[in-house]
């Protein structure tokens, strides 16, 4: 089942579906990351997926390099995950009352991440991040939080300031509708600049509730933190009584079973999870130190609730996914594929004499099309945003035409899964080699 070349004429049904959706749904999509705003053209509508492949409604097949933006680390429709969801479905879809499955999943999360002593389940990464910020404020009694430009933590008002992901792609990093008052309580710094963090804590450390960060950033393209930067974040928060919140919605169970915090060797106070933790169903979670988590209602007074929180289908899907990742860890395979992809793309860009900066961690990667002759190390939004997004768009469409579904924005990382084979990776390198040669 090899992906085949796909031309615009072969996406007629998608085009019709998009026209209809545009009449009914703002922009025709239920999340802006799907709208192709960063690459132009019309989004592709999908009918099904298996393993590493997506099938659109015109029956074109693509190798999938977004994995639903992260969750599908096992590939689509892993038989054990499907069986777990089916089994849960036969019992009931929602009770509005506790189930034993929630404790089982909580135990799995706690066992995976030593920094998490107690965990609360929600239905999305947005909810997890929003709730973690409220908890940090409630716990410290302080209002201000620090975030970093180009980091994305979902769309809660206080976190939608200088936000990454589609907020950056579509030029609404500061969305209309976020009040000036809310924005004032969010201080934005540049990622990977320990000096700025140091200076801020020097002047205002006792007003800060939390530093919220992606420990490895996926939402301005892939950006890896420096050791100094991470160490400063941990030391300064600790010293000044603020909390360090790692948003591992994307990196949790992706970069290692214990998340980015395991490979970086840093222990945050709170962690947010989403994406993989639900195995493709809507589930998020936030957790951390017991003394902090005990402030969450009804153990404590910080309000947070959800009708569908800990939903039995999502819990079954997440549990099956985590158990598979724990018992047969794919991380070595993913690293090997990632290293080969990085090498292959690098050689292809070099052959084509295109200036690129390739950043990768495990199964997350971004090839930044940096315009100048001197390739800058991409360290934060200041440098990431220098990328040639028009060239990225041409790369994206060239890859689509060859049946490889890359992220539809320069500022999103690509993901692959354990279902991708050596032959898949080689096919993608071959396609990229052809496409990059056309971009000069
Ligand atoms: C995807 C993402 C979120 C938001 O999660 P949703 O489930 O889309 O609400 C938050 N933080 C990070 C780091 C993410 O990648």
């Amino acid at each position: 089942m090899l992906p085949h070349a796909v031309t615009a004429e072969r996406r007629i049904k998608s085009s019709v579906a998009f026209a209809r959706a545009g009449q009914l749904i703002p922009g025709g999509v239920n999340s802006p990351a799907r709208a192709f705003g960063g690459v132009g053209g019309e989004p592709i509508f999908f009918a099904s997926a298996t393993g590493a492949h997506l099938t659109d409604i015109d029956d074109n097949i693509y190798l999938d390099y977004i994995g639903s933006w992260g969750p599908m680390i096992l590939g689509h429709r892993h038989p054990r995950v499907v069986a777990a969801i089916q089994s849960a479905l036969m019992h009931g879809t929602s009770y509005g009352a506790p189930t034993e499955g929630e404790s089982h999943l909580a135990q799995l999360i706690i066992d995976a991440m030593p920094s998490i002593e107690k965990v609360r389940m929600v239905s999305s990464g947005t909810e997890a991040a929003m709730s973690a910020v409220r908890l940090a404020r409630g716990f410290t009694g302080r209002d201000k939080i620090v975030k970093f430009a180009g980091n994305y933590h979902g769309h809660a008002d206080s976190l939608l300031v200088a936000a990454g992901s589609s907020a950056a792609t579509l030029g609404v990093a500061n969305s209309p509708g976020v009040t000036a008052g809310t924005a004032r309580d969010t201080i934005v710094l540049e990622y990977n600049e320990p000096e700025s963090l140091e200076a801020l804590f020097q002047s205002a450390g006792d007003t800060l509730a939390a530093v919220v960060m992606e420990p490895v950033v996926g939402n301005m393209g892939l950006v890896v933190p420096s050791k100094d930067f991470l160490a400063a974040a941990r030391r300064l928060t600790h010293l000044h009584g603020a909390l360090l919140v790692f948003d591992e919605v994307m990196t949790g169970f992706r970069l290692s079973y214990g998340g980015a915090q395991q490979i970086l060797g840093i222990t945050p106070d709170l962690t947010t999870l989403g994406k993989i933790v639900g195995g493709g169903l809507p589930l998020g979670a936030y957790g951390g130190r017991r003394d902090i988590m005990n402030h969450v209602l009804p153990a404590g007074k910080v309000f947070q609730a959800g009708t569908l929180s800990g939903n039995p289908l999502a819990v079954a899907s997440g549990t099956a996914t985590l158990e598979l990742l724990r018992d047969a860890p794919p991380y070595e395979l993913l690293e090997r594929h990632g290293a080969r992809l990085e090498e292959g793309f690098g050689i292809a860009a070099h052959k084509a004499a295109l200036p690129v900066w390739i950043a990768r961690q495990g199964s997350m990667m971004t090839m930044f099309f940096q315009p100048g002759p001197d390739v800058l190390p991409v360290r934060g939004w200041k440098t990431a945003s220098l990328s040639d997004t028009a060239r990225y768009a041409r790369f994206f469409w060239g890859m689509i035409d060859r049946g490889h579904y890359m992220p539809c924005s320069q500022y999103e990382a690509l993901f692959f899964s354990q279902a991708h084979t050596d032959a898949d990776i080689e096919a993608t390198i071959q396609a990229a080699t052809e496409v990059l040669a056309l971009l000069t």
Side-chain angles (χ1 to χ4, degrees):
M1 204 171 57
L2 272 180
H4 48 268
V6 185
T7 61
E9 306 85 73
R10 296 184 62 182
R11 291 190 299 270
I12 300 294
K13 287 186 185 166
S14 267
S15 193
V16 172
F18 184 53
R20 174 166 191 237
Q23 300 297 315
L24 306 169
I25 300 170
V29 290
N30 279 315
S31 188
R34 304 170 194 172
F36 282 18
V39 291
E42 296 183 344
I44 301 169
F45 279 56
F46 287 96
S48 66
T50 305
H53 293 93
L54 299 168
T55 303
D56 73 13
I57 59 175
D58 291 283
D59 287 329
N60 302 301
I61 297 170
Y62 310 80
L63 261 173
D64 180 12
Y65 283 91
I66 66 166
S68 185
W69 302 106
M72 311 317 295
I73 191 170
L74 298 172
H76 294 276
R77 292 197 293 127
H78 189 288
R80 291 233 332 243
V81 178
V82 171
I85 297 169
Q86 277 171 337
S87 162
L89 178 61
M90 298 322 288
H91 288 91
T93 55
S94 188
Y95 310 112
T99 58
E100 290 181 296
E102 291 158 74
S103 292
H104 187 64
L105 179 55
Q107 187 74 61
L108 279 168
I109 294 169
I110 287 166
D111 289 346
M113 298 185 182
S115 72
I116 300 182
E117 296 174 329
K118 272 194 175 177
V119 61
R120 171 58 71 78
M121 280 158 216
V122 294
S123 298
S124 68
T126 292
E127 265 187 278
M130 174 186 81
S131 308
V133 165
R134 184 183 304 132
L135 175 57
R137 286 172 164 159
F139 178 77
T140 59
R142 301 171 179 178
D143 288 346
K144 296 207 184 297
I145 59 166
V146 180
K147 80 175 284 288
F148 298 97
N151 282 212
Y152 180 68
H153 307 292
H155 61 91
D157 284 357
S158 63
L159 293 164
L160 210 50
V161 181
S165 191
S166 20
T169 301
L170 304 176
V172 287
N174 303 296
S175 169
V178 173
T179 66
T182 300
R184 257 197 305 278
D185 284 334
T186 301
I187 300 167
V188 181
L189 297 180
E190 181 72 5
Y191 200 75
N192 269 329
E193 283 187 359
E195 324 78 51
S196 318
L197 204 55
E198 183 90 48
L200 175 66
F201 270 95
Q202 287 286 336
S203 64
D206 59 354
T207 68
L208 304 174
V211 171
V212 184
M213 63 190 293
E214 295 184 63
V216 170
V217 191
N219 284 296
M220 53 177 148
L222 200 274
V223 174
V224 177
S226 74
K227 276 204 161 54
D228 291 356
F229 175 60
L230 282 174
R234 181 60 285 182
R235 178 175 52 80
L236 291 165
T237 44
H238 184 70
L239 191 66
H240 293 266
L243 301 185
L244 180 61
V245 181
F246 271 8
D247 183 349
E248 295 232 38
V249 169
M250 199 174 258
T251 53
F253 309 105
R254 160 87 37 198
L255 298 184
S256 77
Y257 189 62
Q261 54 195 268
Q262 178 180 319
I263 57 175
L264 299 169
I266 300 270
T267 305
D269 300 302
L270 292 175
T271 298
T272 59
L273 298 168
K275 300 195 168 113
I276 290 174
V277 79
L281 265 65
L283 190 107
Y286 64 105
R289 271 165 44 194
R290 183 187 310 275
D291 62 315
I292 302 171
M293 291 305 291
N294 281 340
H295 284 253
V296 179
L297 201 71
K301 292 187 175 149
V302 177
F303 191 92
Q304 183 269 308
T307 302
L308 293 177
S309 293
N311 172 267
L313 296 192
V315 166
S317 169
T319 299
T321 299
L322 296 200
E323 284 178 345
L324 283 159
L325 292 173
R326 179 195 62 189
D327 298 342
Y331 303 102
E332 272 177 34
L333 171 80
L334 295 175
E335 173 58 31
R336 186 162 61 72
H337 282 168
R340 176 63 191 130
L341 206 58
E342 179 181 356
E343 177 190 54
F345 276 31
I347 291 171
H350 185 73
K351 269 196 211 149
L354 284 176
V356 299
W357 172 263
I358 301 177
R360 183 184 68 84
Q361 186 83 51
S363 54
M364 296 169 65
M365 187 174 109
T366 297
M367 179 161 60
F368 290 99
F369 289 85
Q370 294 278 355
D374 302 316
V375 178
L376 288 166
V378 175
R379 293 169 49 81
W381 182 240
K382 258 190 243 159
T383 37
S385 59
L386 299 174
S387 302
D388 185 341
T389 54
R391 188 172 267 166
Y392 182 84
R394 290 169 64 206
F395 172 71
F396 170 82
W397 283 110
M399 294 301 281
I400 287 286
D401 280 346
R402 286 161 182 78
H404 301 259
Y405 196 97
M406 297 280 138
C408 54
S409 167
Q410 171 75 93
Y411 302 122
E412 303 278 4
L414 69 76
F415 304 91
F416 49 87
S417 75
Q418 72 169 30
H420 287 68
T421 64
D422 287 349
D424 291 337
I425 300 291
E426 293 307 321
T428 301
I429 291 170
Q430 178 58 39
T433 305
E434 287 172 29
V435 174
L436 290 171
L438 300 172
L439 296 188
T440 35

